[in-house]
Amino acid sequence: MLSADNNKPKLKAIKKVNIGAQVYEQMKNQIISGVWEAGNKIPSENQLMEIFGVSRTTVRQAIQKLVAIGYLETRRGEGSYVCRLGMESYLRGMIPVSCLGEEDLKEIFIFRSLFECGVAEMAARYADDQQIEQLRENYNKMKKYVGQLDKYVEIDLQFHGLLGECTHNAFVCEIYKIIEEILRLTMGKITDSIGYEHGIKSHSLLLEAISKHDPERAREVMRFHVEKNTELYYSDNFWKPINNHQITAEG
């Protein structure tokens, strides 16, 4: 149950200050770091009492808190087991985005298709000249940083944030802030997996549609961008048309 990996956190005796909070935090970190893996039983109450040097009440309170936030489940007569931490836990602000798995990634792709198509349409309707120029400058930076993954992803992330600003809708902008780490993760995974060509092409088409204040075209291009990202990430079928319609640089 306890990892022998020296790079991972280990449980240790508690300092006699804020004892309950220390027990809770150490146990939570064991789960987040993967030392206690999903589906596995954690040490018994007696074992935890001995490791931490605390009372049974303190251990039980920590377990109850972890159950309440979805980290553990208790089974009568069996003990406590680690729950799978996924999208719901992340959105509730309880786990880092690095804990999300492949199934969560699929849900992120679906969410982006639902959310960002509408954002692109609104951006094309409401973007002013200054915002369009900012998008153009950002796009030129993207081209500059092709081949430099971390810098490219940050510029890509900024482009999508600028799209949110172009809607002139405060709620949209706040959602982008909330999902920033999710976008950074998926953009990095996608670009590292499929390369830069599709992203550069799609952003060029988005910029063109928004510059022309063409909401339908902007929605179409964003849908193409996200769905093709999904397709490319999960298959090698690179330029398969979507719904018998292929978007090209010429439109």
Side-chain angles (χ1 to χ4, degrees), residues 2-11 29-30 32-35:
L2 296 179
S3 172
D5 188 342
N6 292 329
N7 293 323
K8 292 185 176 180
K10 290 181 172 61
L11 299 177
N29 288 337
Q30 294 292 104
I32 290 175
S33 66
V35 175

Side-chain angles (χ1 to χ4, degrees), residues 13-122:
I14 295 299
K15 298 177 182 178
K16 303 303 180 182
V17 180
N18 296 324
I19 293 174
Q22 291 181 63
V23 171
Y24 167 75
E25 286 298 326
Q26 285 201 44
M27 291 177 66
K28 185 175 73 170
N29 288 337
Q30 294 292 104
I31 297 169
I32 290 175
S33 66
V35 175
W36 293 351
E37 297 180 352
N40 286 355
K41 184 179 178 180
I42 70 169
S44 68
E45 289 183 2
N46 288 337
Q47 288 174 312
L48 291 171
M49 289 166 57
E50 182 178 351
I51 292 169
F52 290 128
V54 299
S55 68
R56 186 179 303 276
T57 299
T58 299
V59 169
R60 284 184 174 175
Q61 288 175 343
I63 290 173
Q64 288 169 2
K65 288 176 67 176
L66 291 166
V67 168
I69 64 172
Y71 276 48
L72 293 177
E73 64 171 336
T74 55
R75 303 175 188 173
R76 186 178 296 276
E78 295 185 38
S80 299
Y81 290 78
V82 180
C83 298
R84 178 185 177 275
L85 303 182
M87 185 67 65
E88 293 166 354
S89 297
Y90 170 75
L91 292 176
R92 283 153 55 193
M94 295 186 296
I95 65 171
V97 69
S98 58
C99 289
L100 300 181
E102 286 297 316
E103 289 302 314
D104 299 308
L105 192 60
K106 291 179 181 179
E107 293 192 13
I108 293 167
F109 281 127
I110 294 171
F111 169 78
R112 287 190 63 186
S113 182
L114 292 171
F115 175 65
E116 291 202 286
C117 288
V119 170
E121 180 179 338
M122 288 183 66

Side-chain angles (χ1 to χ4, degrees), residues 5-246:
D5 188 342
N6 292 329
N7 293 323
K8 292 185 176 180
K10 290 181 172 61
L11 299 177
K12 54 188 177 182
I14 295 299
K15 298 177 182 178
K16 303 303 180 182
V17 180
N18 296 324
I19 293 174
Q22 291 181 63
V23 171
Y24 167 75
E25 286 298 326
Q26 285 201 44
M27 291 177 66
K28 185 175 73 170
N29 288 337
Q30 294 292 104
I31 297 169
I32 290 175
S33 66
V35 175
W36 293 351
E37 297 180 352
N40 286 355
K41 184 179 178 180
I42 70 169
S44 68
E45 289 183 2
N46 288 337
Q47 288 174 312
L48 291 171
M49 289 166 57
E50 182 178 351
I51 292 169
F52 290 128
V54 299
S55 68
R56 186 179 303 276
T57 299
T58 299
V59 169
R60 284 184 174 175
Q61 288 175 343
I63 290 173
Q64 288 169 2
K65 288 176 67 176
L66 291 166
V67 168
I69 64 172
Y71 276 48
L72 293 177
E73 64 171 336
T74 55
R75 303 175 188 173
R76 186 178 296 276
E78 295 185 38
S80 299
Y81 290 78
V82 180
C83 298
R84 178 185 177 275
L85 303 182
M87 185 67 65
E88 293 166 354
S89 297
Y90 170 75
L91 292 176
R92 283 153 55 193
M94 295 186 296
I95 65 171
V97 69
S98 58
C99 289
L100 300 181
E102 286 297 316
E103 289 302 314
D104 299 308
L105 192 60
K106 291 179 181 179
E107 293 192 13
I108 293 167
F109 281 127
I110 294 171
F111 169 78
R112 287 190 63 186
S113 182
L114 292 171
F115 175 65
E116 291 202 286
C117 288
V119 170
E121 180 179 338
M122 288 183 66
R125 291 184 187 277
Y126 302 119
D128 57 36
D129 291 343
Q130 182 178 357
Q131 289 170 327
I132 292 171
E133 184 57 32
Q134 287 178 318
L135 286 172
R136 184 171 290 108
E137 291 175 0
N138 179 279
Y139 171 68
N140 288 332
K141 286 182 181 179
M142 286 184 68
K143 292 191 293 183
K144 176 182 176 182
Y145 288 119
V146 165
Q148 301 179 54
L149 182 62
D150 290 344
K151 291 182 179 179
Y152 177 90
V153 168
E154 287 304 313
I155 300 301
D156 192 354
L157 193 63
Q158 290 172 20
F159 187 95
H160 288 261
L162 288 170
L163 287 180
E165 293 178 13
C166 288
T167 68
H168 297 272
N169 185 296
F171 190 62
V172 169
C173 294
E174 286 304 309
I175 290 177
Y176 268 116
K177 292 177 184 178
I178 292 170
I179 65 173
E180 180 177 314
E181 284 303 310
I182 285 179
L183 291 180
R184 180 179 285 108
L185 171 74
T186 55
M187 288 171 180
K189 281 179 174 285
I190 292 166
T191 306
D192 190 45
S193 176
I194 69 175
Y196 299 83
E197 181 180 354
H198 173 65
I200 292 294
K201 176 179 180 178
S202 297
H203 285 76
S204 173
L205 296 175
L206 274 170
L207 176 59
E208 178 184 25
I210 293 169
S211 298
K212 293 180 178 179
H213 296 286
D214 187 340
E216 291 185 8
R217 174 67 173 168
R219 171 180 279 276
E220 180 184 36
V221 171
M222 181 62 84
R223 180 183 62 82
F224 167 77
H225 176 48
V226 177
E227 292 186 2
K228 186 57 68 173
N229 272 343
T230 309
E231 182 179 321
L232 293 175
Y233 186 77
Y234 289 108
S235 78
D236 297 324
N237 195 3
F238 191 73
W239 289 112
K240 179 181 177 182
I242 299 175
N243 295 334
N244 297 320
H245 180 101
Q246 175 129 2

